[in-house]
Structures are given as C-alpha cells and as structure tokens.
C-alpha cells in the first residue's frame, strides 16, 4: 500500500511498456484514475466509448486550437480533485528503453498547481508484449517516486519539470 495523501489530486507520469500498464495502475492506485489519452484512441471501437464514459481526457496532438481546449478541460478535471495519469513518452516502448517525455502532462500539472508523481513500471512488456495480445506469466513491479511540487512554477518551467520527472522515473528503475 502506498504511503501518500491520495486525497489531493496528482498527475502521475509513468513509462509505458504494454497495454497492461493501464490495468496495473488501476489496481495499484487507491483512488479513481483518469488517463490522458491521445485523441486517436477516441475513434477506436469499444476503447473510445469506454474511455469517454469513464471520464478519460483526450488530447489532440495535431491541432493546436483543439489541443488548447482539451488541455483546459484536463486542468478543470484536476482542479476538481481528480488524479490524472499520463504516459509522457507518447507511445509504448518496444525494447523497454524509456524515451524522451513530451510536455503536455507537465503543462497540465503546472496550470492546475498539482504535484507530479513519477512512476516506474517494470516487467509489463514481458507479460504482455507491445506486439500482440498473448499474455505470459511474469511479475510487474511499480515504483512510485516522491511528488514533485508545481506550486509557483510557470509555463517557462515546463521543460525543466519534464526533464526532472523523466530523470526521476529512470532513477526508480
């Protein structure tokens, strides 16, 4: 069990190895989660409907105006007390190497004034590889880092926050 004040909203940022990461996080985090998802997933049969019905937040990456509108919705979701999780690499890792982080989730955390919590996921890519749906026996480990406060940070601090969070995820591995 995690020793953390889960009554406050957070932005959890995790590396991403497998589709099973979503289920693992739902199981491990003791509060309802909202995931930050790319808009393309909204069009997928079943997944898009389910994600929308569960209050997930979709981000438009190609259209700046639509992205800004959706970011405002995500900030409001955080300010209402929700905990949001993002996979800032933007895609699943094929080889387990953690790629560069994109800044959208960190912009949300800064605008909402909520802490960022680094999360390292290990083993999920072996249990459910990124290519295919054959689940294999194995162990998945989650490690949660210390919250990184965002109070007082501004837009100009996003790149440094993004790098700090990525380094914290790497250090948890």
């Amino acid at each position: 069990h995690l020793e953390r004040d889960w009554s406050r909203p957070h932005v959890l940022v995790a590396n991403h190895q497998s589709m099973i990461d979503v289920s693992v996080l739902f199981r491990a985090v003791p509060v309802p989660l909202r995931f930050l998802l790319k808009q393309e997933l909204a069009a997928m049969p079943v997944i898009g409907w389910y994600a929308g019905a569960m209050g997930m937040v979709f981000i438009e990456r190609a259209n700046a105006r639509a992205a800004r509108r959706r970011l405002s919705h995500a900030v409001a979701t955080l300010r209402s007390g929700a905990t949001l999780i993002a996979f800032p690499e933007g895609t699943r890792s094929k080889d387990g190497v953690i790629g560069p982080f994109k800044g959208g989730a960190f912009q949300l955390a800064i605008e909402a004034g909520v802490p960022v919590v680094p999360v390292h996921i290990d083993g999920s890519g072996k249990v459910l590889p990124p290519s295919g749906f054959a689940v294999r026996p194995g162990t998945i480990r989650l490690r949660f880092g210390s919250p990184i406060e965002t109070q007082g940070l501004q837009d100009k601090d996003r790149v440094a926050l993004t790098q700090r969070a990525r380094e914290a995820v790497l250090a948890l591995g």
Side-chain angles (χ1 to χ4, degrees), residues 33-100:
L33 292 176
R34 303 268 170 59
F35 281 79
L36 188 62
L37 304 171
K38 57 188 175 186
Q39 180 62 38
E40 299 90 273
L41 292 176
M44 290 184 71
V46 182
I47 292 173
W49 172 84
Y50 175 77
M54 294 300 294
M56 303 305 162
V57 178
F58 293 101
I59 293 296
E60 177 70 51
R61 297 190 295 188
N63 179 326
R65 183 175 294 149
R68 189 76 212 143
R69 196 169 43 248
R70 290 192 185 274
L71 284 174
S72 295
H73 169 69
V75 168
T77 299
L78 283 165
R79 286 183 178 155
S80 74
T83 290
L84 184 69
I85 186 146
F87 299 114
E89 291 169 278
T91 189
R92 288 169 295 184
S93 171
K94 303 269 188 265
D95 57 9
V97 174
I98 298 174

Short mmCIF file of all heavy atoms in Angstrom, two decimals, residues 33-100:
data_model
loop_
_atom_site.label_atom_id
_atom_site.label_comp_id
_atom_site.label_asym_id
_atom_site.label_seq_id
_atom_site.Cartn_x
_atom_site.Cartn_y
_atom_site.Cartn_z
N LEU A 33 -8.81 6.88 -11.24
CA LEU A 33 -7.84 7.50 -12.15
C LEU A 33 -8.51 7.97 -13.42
O LEU A 33 -9.45 7.35 -13.91
CB LEU A 33 -6.76 6.48 -12.55
CG LEU A 33 -5.81 6.02 -11.47
CD1 LEU A 33 -4.88 4.94 -12.02
CD2 LEU A 33 -5.00 7.18 -10.94
N ARG A 34 -7.98 9.04 -13.95
CA ARG A 34 -8.34 9.50 -15.30
C ARG A 34 -7.04 9.47 -16.09
O ARG A 34 -6.03 9.99 -15.65
CB ARG A 34 -8.89 10.91 -15.26
CG ARG A 34 -10.08 11.09 -14.38
CD ARG A 34 -11.36 10.88 -15.17
NE ARG A 34 -12.56 10.80 -14.37
CZ ARG A 34 -13.05 11.69 -13.55
NH1 ARG A 34 -12.41 12.80 -13.31
NH2 ARG A 34 -14.18 11.48 -12.92
N PHE A 35 -7.08 8.85 -17.25
CA PHE A 35 -5.89 8.77 -18.08
C PHE A 35 -5.91 9.88 -19.12
O PHE A 35 -6.97 10.25 -19.63
CB PHE A 35 -5.80 7.41 -18.79
CG PHE A 35 -5.28 6.33 -17.89
CD1 PHE A 35 -6.11 5.72 -16.96
CD2 PHE A 35 -3.96 5.92 -17.97
CE1 PHE A 35 -5.63 4.73 -16.13
CE2 PHE A 35 -3.47 4.94 -17.14
CZ PHE A 35 -4.30 4.33 -16.21
N LEU A 36 -4.74 10.40 -19.45
CA LEU A 36 -4.55 11.35 -20.52
C LEU A 36 -4.25 10.51 -21.76
O LEU A 36 -3.24 9.81 -21.80
CB LEU A 36 -3.38 12.28 -20.19
CG LEU A 36 -3.12 13.45 -21.10
CD1 LEU A 36 -4.33 14.39 -21.10
CD2 LEU A 36 -1.88 14.20 -20.63
N LEU A 37 -5.15 10.55 -22.73
CA LEU A 37 -5.05 9.68 -23.91
C LEU A 37 -4.98 10.50 -25.18
O LEU A 37 -5.60 11.57 -25.28
CB LEU A 37 -6.29 8.77 -23.99
CG LEU A 37 -6.58 7.90 -22.77
CD1 LEU A 37 -7.94 7.23 -22.91
CD2 LEU A 37 -5.49 6.86 -22.60
N LYS A 38 -4.29 9.97 -26.18
CA LYS A 38 -4.24 10.66 -27.47
C LYS A 38 -5.62 10.54 -28.13
O LYS A 38 -6.30 9.52 -28.02
CB LYS A 38 -3.13 10.12 -28.35
CG LYS A 38 -3.18 8.65 -28.63
CD LYS A 38 -1.92 8.20 -29.35
CE LYS A 38 -1.92 6.69 -29.50
NZ LYS A 38 -0.68 6.20 -30.06
N GLN A 39 -6.01 11.59 -28.81
CA GLN A 39 -7.34 11.69 -29.42
C GLN A 39 -7.65 10.53 -30.35
O GLN A 39 -8.80 10.10 -30.45
CB GLN A 39 -7.46 13.03 -30.19
CG GLN A 39 -8.79 13.25 -30.85
CD GLN A 39 -9.95 13.32 -29.87
OE1 GLN A 39 -9.82 13.86 -28.79
NE2 GLN A 39 -11.08 12.75 -30.24
N GLU A 40 -6.64 9.96 -31.00
CA GLU A 40 -6.88 8.86 -31.94
C GLU A 40 -7.56 7.67 -31.25
O GLU A 40 -8.30 6.92 -31.90
CB GLU A 40 -5.55 8.36 -32.56
CG GLU A 40 -4.80 9.41 -33.37
CD GLU A 40 -3.82 10.22 -32.52
OE1 GLU A 40 -4.27 11.23 -31.94
OE2 GLU A 40 -2.63 9.87 -32.45
N LEU A 41 -7.34 7.50 -29.96
CA LEU A 41 -7.95 6.38 -29.24
C LEU A 41 -9.46 6.56 -29.09
O LEU A 41 -10.19 5.57 -28.94
CB LEU A 41 -7.32 6.21 -27.86
CG LEU A 41 -5.87 5.72 -27.86
CD1 LEU A 41 -5.32 5.67 -26.44
CD2 LEU A 41 -5.76 4.35 -28.52
N ALA A 42 -9.95 7.79 -29.17
CA ALA A 42 -11.39 8.03 -29.06
C ALA A 42 -12.15 7.39 -30.22
O ALA A 42 -13.33 7.05 -30.08
CB ALA A 42 -11.68 9.53 -29.00
N ALA A 43 -11.48 7.21 -31.35
CA ALA A 43 -12.14 6.64 -32.53
C ALA A 43 -12.10 5.11 -32.56
O ALA A 43 -12.73 4.49 -33.41
CB ALA A 43 -11.48 7.19 -33.80
N MET A 44 -11.37 4.50 -31.63
CA MET A 44 -11.27 3.04 -31.62
C MET A 44 -12.54 2.41 -31.07
O MET A 44 -13.04 2.84 -30.03
CB MET A 44 -10.06 2.59 -30.79
CG MET A 44 -8.74 2.93 -31.43
SD MET A 44 -7.35 2.27 -30.49
CE MET A 44 -7.54 0.52 -30.80
N PRO A 45 -13.06 1.40 -31.76
CA PRO A 45 -14.26 0.73 -31.26
C PRO A 45 -14.05 0.21 -29.84
O PRO A 45 -12.97 -0.23 -29.48
CB PRO A 45 -14.46 -0.43 -32.24
CG PRO A 45 -13.70 -0.04 -33.46
CD PRO A 45 -12.56 0.81 -33.00
N VAL A 46 -15.05 0.31 -29.04
CA VAL A 46 -15.10 -0.11 -27.64
C VAL A 46 -14.18 0.73 -26.76
O VAL A 46 -14.64 1.33 -25.78
CB VAL A 46 -14.80 -1.63 -27.44
CG1 VAL A 46 -14.91 -2.02 -25.98
CG2 VAL A 46 -15.71 -2.48 -28.29
N ILE A 47 -12.90 0.82 -27.07
CA ILE A 47 -11.95 1.57 -26.24
C ILE A 47 -12.35 3.04 -26.16
O ILE A 47 -12.38 3.62 -25.07
CB ILE A 47 -10.51 1.43 -26.78
CG1 ILE A 47 -10.05 -0.01 -26.59
CG2 ILE A 47 -9.56 2.41 -26.11
CD1 ILE A 47 -8.72 -0.33 -27.23
N GLY A 48 -12.66 3.65 -27.29
CA GLY A 48 -13.04 5.06 -27.31
C GLY A 48 -14.30 5.33 -26.51
O GLY A 48 -14.37 6.27 -25.73
N TRP A 49 -15.29 4.48 -26.70
CA TRP A 49 -16.55 4.65 -25.97
C TRP A 49 -16.32 4.49 -24.47
O TRP A 49 -16.77 5.30 -23.66
CB TRP A 49 -17.59 3.63 -26.46
CG TRP A 49 -18.82 3.63 -25.61
CD1 TRP A 49 -19.88 4.47 -25.72
CD2 TRP A 49 -19.07 2.80 -24.47
NE1 TRP A 49 -20.78 4.21 -24.72
CE2 TRP A 49 -20.31 3.18 -23.94
CE3 TRP A 49 -18.37 1.78 -23.85
CZ2 TRP A 49 -20.87 2.57 -22.82
CZ3 TRP A 49 -18.91 1.17 -22.74
CH2 TRP A 49 -20.15 1.56 -22.24
N TYR A 50 -15.62 3.42 -24.10
CA TYR A 50 -15.37 3.13 -22.69
C TYR A 50 -14.58 4.28 -22.04
O TYR A 50 -14.92 4.74 -20.95
CB TYR A 50 -14.61 1.81 -22.54
CG TYR A 50 -14.20 1.52 -21.12
CD1 TYR A 50 -15.13 1.05 -20.20
CD2 TYR A 50 -12.89 1.73 -20.70
CE1 TYR A 50 -14.76 0.79 -18.88
CE2 TYR A 50 -12.52 1.47 -19.39
CZ TYR A 50 -13.45 1.01 -18.49
OH TYR A 50 -13.09 0.77 -17.20
N ALA A 51 -13.51 4.71 -22.70
CA ALA A 51 -12.67 5.77 -22.14
C ALA A 51 -13.47 7.05 -21.95
O ALA A 51 -13.35 7.71 -20.91
CB ALA A 51 -11.46 6.01 -23.04
N GLY A 52 -14.29 7.40 -22.92
CA GLY A 52 -15.12 8.59 -22.79
C GLY A 52 -16.12 8.47 -21.65
O GLY A 52 -16.32 9.40 -20.87
N ALA A 53 -16.75 7.30 -21.54
CA ALA A 53 -17.74 7.07 -20.48
C ALA A 53 -17.09 7.11 -19.09
O ALA A 53 -17.74 7.48 -18.11
CB ALA A 53 -18.44 5.73 -20.70
N MET A 54 -15.82 6.74 -19.00
CA MET A 54 -15.11 6.72 -17.72
C MET A 54 -14.47 8.06 -17.37
O MET A 54 -13.79 8.18 -16.36
CB MET A 54 -14.04 5.62 -17.74
CG MET A 54 -14.60 4.22 -17.82
SD MET A 54 -15.67 3.80 -16.42
CE MET A 54 -14.51 3.83 -15.08
N GLY A 55 -14.66 9.08 -18.21
CA GLY A 55 -14.15 10.41 -17.92
C GLY A 55 -12.69 10.61 -18.25
O GLY A 55 -12.05 11.52 -17.72
N MET A 56 -12.14 9.77 -19.13
CA MET A 56 -10.75 9.94 -19.52
C MET A 56 -10.61 11.24 -20.31
O MET A 56 -11.57 11.76 -20.86
CB MET A 56 -10.25 8.75 -20.34
CG MET A 56 -10.38 7.42 -19.64
SD MET A 56 -9.58 7.38 -18.04
CE MET A 56 -10.35 5.96 -17.30
N VAL A 57 -9.40 11.76 -20.38
CA VAL A 57 -9.15 13.04 -21.03
C VAL A 57 -8.38 12.79 -22.32
O VAL A 57 -7.30 12.18 -22.30
CB VAL A 57 -8.33 13.96 -20.09
CG1 VAL A 57 -8.02 15.28 -20.77
CG2 VAL A 57 -9.08 14.18 -18.78
N PHE A 58 -8.95 13.22 -23.43
CA PHE A 58 -8.30 13.05 -24.73
C PHE A 58 -7.55 14.32 -25.11
O PHE A 58 -8.03 15.42 -24.89
CB PHE A 58 -9.34 12.72 -25.82
CG PHE A 58 -10.00 11.39 -25.62
CD1 PHE A 58 -11.27 11.30 -25.07
CD2 PHE A 58 -9.35 10.22 -25.98
CE1 PHE A 58 -11.88 10.07 -24.88
CE2 PHE A 58 -9.95 8.98 -25.80
CZ PHE A 58 -11.22 8.91 -25.24
N ILE A 59 -6.38 14.14 -25.69
CA ILE A 59 -5.55 15.26 -26.13
C ILE A 59 -5.34 15.19 -27.63
O ILE A 59 -4.94 14.17 -28.17
CB ILE A 59 -4.18 15.24 -25.41
CG1 ILE A 59 -4.36 15.50 -23.92
CG2 ILE A 59 -3.20 16.23 -26.01
CD1 ILE A 59 -4.90 16.87 -23.58
N GLU A 60 -5.63 16.29 -28.29
CA GLU A 60 -5.42 16.42 -29.74
C GLU A 60 -4.00 16.91 -29.94
O GLU A 60 -3.63 18.00 -29.49
CB GLU A 60 -6.42 17.44 -30.30
CG GLU A 60 -6.28 17.71 -31.76
CD GLU A 60 -6.70 16.55 -32.62
OE1 GLU A 60 -7.79 16.02 -32.43
OE2 GLU A 60 -5.89 16.17 -33.50
N ARG A 61 -3.17 16.10 -30.58
CA ARG A 61 -1.76 16.48 -30.73
C ARG A 61 -1.49 17.26 -32.01
O ARG A 61 -0.53 18.01 -32.08
CB ARG A 61 -0.88 15.23 -30.68
CG ARG A 61 -1.00 14.54 -29.34
CD ARG A 61 0.00 13.46 -29.12
NE ARG A 61 -0.17 12.34 -30.04
CZ ARG A 61 0.49 11.20 -29.94
NH1 ARG A 61 1.36 11.02 -28.99
NH2 ARG A 61 0.28 10.23 -30.79
N ALA A 62 -2.32 17.10 -33.02
CA ALA A 62 -2.04 17.73 -34.31
C ALA A 62 -2.64 19.13 -34.42
O ALA A 62 -2.08 19.98 -35.10
CB ALA A 62 -2.57 16.85 -35.44
N ASN A 63 -3.76 19.39 -33.78
CA ASN A 63 -4.47 20.65 -33.92
C ASN A 63 -4.29 21.48 -32.65
O ASN A 63 -4.83 21.16 -31.60
CB ASN A 63 -5.97 20.34 -34.17
CG ASN A 63 -6.82 21.58 -34.31
OD1 ASN A 63 -6.56 22.60 -33.68
ND2 ASN A 63 -7.84 21.48 -35.13
N ALA A 64 -3.53 22.56 -32.75
CA ALA A 64 -3.17 23.36 -31.58
C ALA A 64 -4.40 23.95 -30.89
O ALA A 64 -4.48 23.96 -29.66
CB ALA A 64 -2.21 24.48 -31.98
N ARG A 65 -5.38 24.45 -31.65
CA ARG A 65 -6.58 25.06 -31.05
C ARG A 65 -7.38 24.01 -30.28
O ARG A 65 -7.80 24.22 -29.15
CB ARG A 65 -7.46 25.72 -32.11
CG ARG A 65 -8.66 26.42 -31.50
CD ARG A 65 -9.46 27.19 -32.53
NE ARG A 65 -8.63 28.28 -33.04
CZ ARG A 65 -8.72 28.77 -34.27
NH1 ARG A 65 -9.58 28.27 -35.13
NH2 ARG A 65 -7.95 29.75 -34.65
N ALA A 66 -7.58 22.84 -30.90
CA ALA A 66 -8.31 21.76 -30.22
C ALA A 66 -7.53 21.28 -29.00
O ALA A 66 -8.11 20.98 -27.96
CB ALA A 66 -8.58 20.61 -31.18
N ALA A 67 -6.21 21.22 -29.13
CA ALA A 67 -5.37 20.78 -28.01
C ALA A 67 -5.52 21.74 -26.83
O ALA A 67 -5.65 21.31 -25.68
CB ALA A 67 -3.92 20.70 -28.45
N ARG A 68 -5.53 23.02 -27.10
CA ARG A 68 -5.66 24.02 -26.02
C ARG A 68 -7.00 23.87 -25.30
O ARG A 68 -7.07 23.95 -24.08
CB ARG A 68 -5.53 25.41 -26.64
CG ARG A 68 -5.43 26.49 -25.63
CD ARG A 68 -4.02 26.50 -25.02
NE ARG A 68 -4.15 26.92 -23.66
CZ ARG A 68 -3.46 26.46 -22.64
NH1 ARG A 68 -2.53 25.58 -22.81
NH2 ARG A 68 -3.65 26.88 -21.43
N ARG A 69 -8.06 23.65 -26.06
CA ARG A 69 -9.41 23.48 -25.49
C ARG A 69 -9.44 22.23 -24.59
O ARG A 69 -9.96 22.24 -23.49
CB ARG A 69 -10.43 23.37 -26.62
CG ARG A 69 -11.85 23.58 -26.22
CD ARG A 69 -12.79 23.73 -27.41
NE ARG A 69 -12.55 22.79 -28.50
CZ ARG A 69 -12.10 23.13 -29.71
NH1 ARG A 69 -11.84 24.37 -30.01
NH2 ARG A 69 -11.92 22.22 -30.64
N ARG A 70 -8.86 21.15 -25.08
CA ARG A 70 -8.84 19.91 -24.30
C ARG A 70 -7.93 20.03 -23.07
O ARG A 70 -8.23 19.45 -22.03
CB ARG A 70 -8.41 18.74 -25.18
CG ARG A 70 -9.48 18.40 -26.20
CD ARG A 70 -9.19 17.08 -26.88
NE ARG A 70 -10.13 16.82 -27.93
CZ ARG A 70 -11.32 16.24 -27.75
NH1 ARG A 70 -11.70 15.89 -26.55
NH2 ARG A 70 -12.11 16.02 -28.77
N LEU A 71 -6.84 20.77 -23.19
CA LEU A 71 -5.98 20.99 -22.04
C LEU A 71 -6.73 21.74 -20.95
O LEU A 71 -6.60 21.44 -19.77
CB LEU A 71 -4.71 21.74 -22.43
CG LEU A 71 -3.64 20.93 -23.15
CD1 LEU A 71 -2.50 21.83 -23.62
CD2 LEU A 71 -3.10 19.82 -22.28
N SER A 72 -7.55 22.72 -21.35
CA SER A 72 -8.36 23.46 -20.37
C SER A 72 -9.31 22.52 -19.65
O SER A 72 -9.50 22.63 -18.44
CB SER A 72 -9.15 24.57 -21.06
OG SER A 72 -8.26 25.53 -21.58
N HIS A 73 -9.90 21.59 -20.38
CA HIS A 73 -10.79 20.60 -19.77
C HIS A 73 -10.01 19.73 -18.79
O HIS A 73 -10.49 19.43 -17.68
CB HIS A 73 -11.44 19.74 -20.86
CG HIS A 73 -12.16 18.54 -20.33
ND1 HIS A 73 -13.33 18.65 -19.61
CD2 HIS A 73 -11.86 17.23 -20.39
CE1 HIS A 73 -13.72 17.43 -19.25
NE2 HIS A 73 -12.85 16.56 -19.71
N ALA A 74 -8.80 19.33 -19.16
CA ALA A 74 -7.98 18.49 -18.29
C ALA A 74 -7.58 19.24 -17.02
O ALA A 74 -7.59 18.67 -15.93
CB ALA A 74 -6.74 18.01 -19.05
N VAL A 75 -7.24 20.51 -17.13
CA VAL A 75 -6.89 21.33 -15.96
C VAL A 75 -8.10 21.41 -15.03
O VAL A 75 -7.97 21.24 -13.80
CB VAL A 75 -6.40 22.73 -16.38
CG1 VAL A 75 -6.32 23.66 -15.18
CG2 VAL A 75 -5.04 22.63 -17.07
N ALA A 76 -9.29 21.63 -15.59
CA ALA A 76 -10.50 21.68 -14.77
C ALA A 76 -10.75 20.34 -14.07
O ALA A 76 -11.17 20.30 -12.91
CB ALA A 76 -11.70 22.06 -15.64
N THR A 77 -10.47 19.24 -14.77
CA THR A 77 -10.62 17.91 -14.18
C THR A 77 -9.70 17.75 -12.98
O THR A 77 -10.10 17.26 -11.92
CB THR A 77 -10.33 16.83 -15.24
OG1 THR A 77 -11.25 16.97 -16.32
CG2 THR A 77 -10.44 15.43 -14.66
N LEU A 78 -8.45 18.20 -13.10
CA LEU A 78 -7.50 18.14 -11.98
C LEU A 78 -7.95 19.04 -10.83
O LEU A 78 -7.92 18.63 -9.67
CB LEU A 78 -6.11 18.57 -12.44
CG LEU A 78 -5.33 17.53 -13.24
CD1 LEU A 78 -4.14 18.17 -13.93
CD2 LEU A 78 -4.87 16.40 -12.32
N ARG A 79 -8.37 20.24 -11.16
CA ARG A 79 -8.78 21.18 -10.11
C ARG A 79 -10.02 20.70 -9.36
O ARG A 79 -10.24 21.09 -8.22
CB ARG A 79 -9.02 22.57 -10.71
CG ARG A 79 -7.72 23.26 -11.07
CD ARG A 79 -7.95 24.65 -11.59
NE ARG A 79 -6.67 25.30 -11.87
CZ ARG A 79 -6.51 26.27 -12.74
NH1 ARG A 79 -7.55 26.73 -13.42
NH2 ARG A 79 -5.33 26.79 -12.94
N SER A 80 -10.80 19.83 -10.00
CA SER A 80 -11.99 19.28 -9.33
C SER A 80 -11.61 18.13 -8.38
O SER A 80 -12.47 17.57 -7.71
CB SER A 80 -13.01 18.81 -10.35
OG SER A 80 -12.58 17.60 -10.97
N GLY A 81 -10.32 17.77 -8.35
CA GLY A 81 -9.86 16.76 -7.40
C GLY A 81 -9.44 15.44 -8.01
O GLY A 81 -9.06 14.51 -7.29
N ALA A 82 -9.48 15.31 -9.32
CA ALA A 82 -9.14 14.04 -9.98
C ALA A 82 -7.63 13.80 -9.99
O ALA A 82 -6.85 14.75 -9.99
CB ALA A 82 -9.67 14.04 -11.41
N THR A 83 -7.25 12.54 -10.01
CA THR A 83 -5.87 12.16 -10.24
C THR A 83 -5.76 11.69 -11.69
O THR A 83 -6.55 10.87 -12.15
CB THR A 83 -5.43 11.03 -9.28
OG1 THR A 83 -5.35 11.60 -7.96
CG2 THR A 83 -4.07 10.46 -9.65
N LEU A 84 -4.82 12.28 -12.39
CA LEU A 84 -4.65 12.02 -13.82
C LEU A 84 -3.34 11.27 -14.02
O LEU A 84 -2.35 11.57 -13.36
CB LEU A 84 -4.61 13.36 -14.55
CG LEU A 84 -4.53 13.37 -16.06
CD1 LEU A 84 -5.84 12.86 -16.66
CD2 LEU A 84 -4.27 14.78 -16.56
N ILE A 85 -3.35 10.31 -14.92
CA ILE A 85 -2.11 9.62 -15.26
C ILE A 85 -1.81 9.76 -16.74
O ILE A 85 -2.72 9.73 -17.56
CB ILE A 85 -2.12 8.14 -14.83
CG1 ILE A 85 -0.74 7.53 -15.07
CG2 ILE A 85 -3.17 7.35 -15.51
CD1 ILE A 85 -0.35 6.50 -14.09
N ALA A 86 -0.53 9.95 -17.03
CA ALA A 86 -0.09 10.11 -18.41
C ALA A 86 1.14 9.24 -18.66
O ALA A 86 1.91 8.94 -17.74
CB ALA A 86 0.26 11.57 -18.69
N PHE A 87 1.26 8.83 -19.89
CA PHE A 87 2.46 8.14 -20.37
C PHE A 87 3.17 9.14 -21.28
O PHE A 87 2.91 9.20 -22.48
CB PHE A 87 2.09 6.87 -21.14
CG PHE A 87 1.35 5.85 -20.31
CD1 PHE A 87 0.04 5.52 -20.61
CD2 PHE A 87 1.98 5.22 -19.24
CE1 PHE A 87 -0.65 4.58 -19.86
CE2 PHE A 87 1.29 4.27 -18.49
CZ PHE A 87 -0.02 3.95 -18.80
N PRO A 88 4.04 9.99 -20.72
CA PRO A 88 4.59 11.10 -21.48
C PRO A 88 5.54 10.73 -22.61
O PRO A 88 5.92 11.59 -23.40
CB PRO A 88 5.27 11.97 -20.43
CG PRO A 88 5.49 11.09 -19.27
CD PRO A 88 4.44 10.03 -19.32
N GLU A 89 5.91 9.44 -22.73
CA GLU A 89 6.70 9.04 -23.90
C GLU A 89 5.83 9.14 -25.15
O GLU A 89 6.35 9.22 -26.26
CB GLU A 89 7.20 7.61 -23.75
CG GLU A 89 8.24 7.43 -22.67
CD GLU A 89 8.50 5.97 -22.39
OE1 GLU A 89 7.71 5.37 -21.63
OE2 GLU A 89 9.48 5.43 -22.94
N GLY A 90 4.52 9.07 -24.99
CA GLY A 90 3.59 9.19 -26.12
C GLY A 90 3.31 7.88 -26.83
O GLY A 90 2.45 7.82 -27.68
N THR A 91 4.04 6.83 -26.48
CA THR A 91 3.85 5.52 -27.11
C THR A 91 4.47 4.47 -26.22
O THR A 91 5.23 4.79 -25.29
CB THR A 91 4.48 5.49 -28.52
OG1 THR A 91 4.10 4.28 -29.17
CG2 THR A 91 6.00 5.60 -28.46
N ARG A 92 4.17 3.22 -26.50
CA ARG A 92 4.79 2.13 -25.75
C ARG A 92 6.21 1.90 -26.25
O ARG A 92 6.48 1.96 -27.44
CB ARG A 92 3.99 0.84 -25.91
CG ARG A 92 2.67 0.88 -25.17
CD ARG A 92 1.82 -0.27 -25.57
NE ARG A 92 1.51 -0.06 -27.00
CZ ARG A 92 0.71 -0.82 -27.70
NH1 ARG A 92 0.14 -1.87 -27.18
NH2 ARG A 92 0.47 -0.57 -28.96
N SER A 93 7.09 1.58 -25.32
CA SER A 93 8.47 1.25 -25.67
C SER A 93 8.51 -0.17 -26.23
O SER A 93 7.95 -1.09 -25.64
CB SER A 93 9.36 1.34 -24.43
OG SER A 93 10.64 0.83 -24.70
N LYS A 94 9.17 -0.34 -27.34
CA LYS A 94 9.30 -1.68 -27.94
C LYS A 94 10.40 -2.51 -27.27
O LYS A 94 10.36 -3.71 -27.27
CB LYS A 94 9.62 -1.55 -29.44
CG LYS A 94 8.59 -0.74 -30.21
CD LYS A 94 7.51 -1.61 -30.77
CE LYS A 94 6.60 -0.85 -31.69
NZ LYS A 94 5.41 -0.33 -31.07
N ASP A 95 11.40 -1.81 -26.68
CA ASP A 95 12.55 -2.52 -26.12
C ASP A 95 12.78 -2.24 -24.63
O ASP A 95 13.79 -2.64 -24.08
CB ASP A 95 13.81 -2.16 -26.90
CG ASP A 95 14.08 -0.66 -26.93
OD1 ASP A 95 13.39 0.10 -26.21
OD2 ASP A 95 14.99 -0.25 -27.67
N GLY A 96 11.84 -1.56 -23.99
CA GLY A 96 11.98 -1.26 -22.56
C GLY A 96 12.77 -0.01 -22.24
O GLY A 96 12.79 0.44 -21.11
N VAL A 97 13.42 0.59 -23.25
CA VAL A 97 14.18 1.82 -23.04
C VAL A 97 13.19 2.98 -22.92
O VAL A 97 12.27 3.12 -23.73
CB VAL A 97 15.17 2.07 -24.21
CG1 VAL A 97 15.84 3.42 -24.07
CG2 VAL A 97 16.20 0.95 -24.26
N ILE A 98 13.36 3.79 -21.90
CA ILE A 98 12.46 4.93 -21.68
C ILE A 98 12.87 6.07 -22.60
O ILE A 98 14.00 6.56 -22.53
CB ILE A 98 12.47 5.36 -20.20
CG1 ILE A 98 11.96 4.21 -19.33
CG2 ILE A 98 11.63 6.62 -20.00
CD1 ILE A 98 12.06 4.45 -17.84
N GLY A 99 11.95 6.48 -23.45
CA GLY A 99 12.22 7.53 -24.43
C GLY A 99 12.05 8.92 -23.84
O GLY A 99 11.73 9.08 -22.65
N PRO A 100 12.24 9.93 -24.68
CA PRO A 100 12.04 11.30 -24.22
C PRO A 100 10.58 11.52 -23.83
O PRO A 100 9.68 10.87 -24.35
CB PRO A 100 12.40 12.16 -25.43
CG PRO A 100 12.82 11.23 -26.51
CD PRO A 100 12.64 9.84 -26.06
#
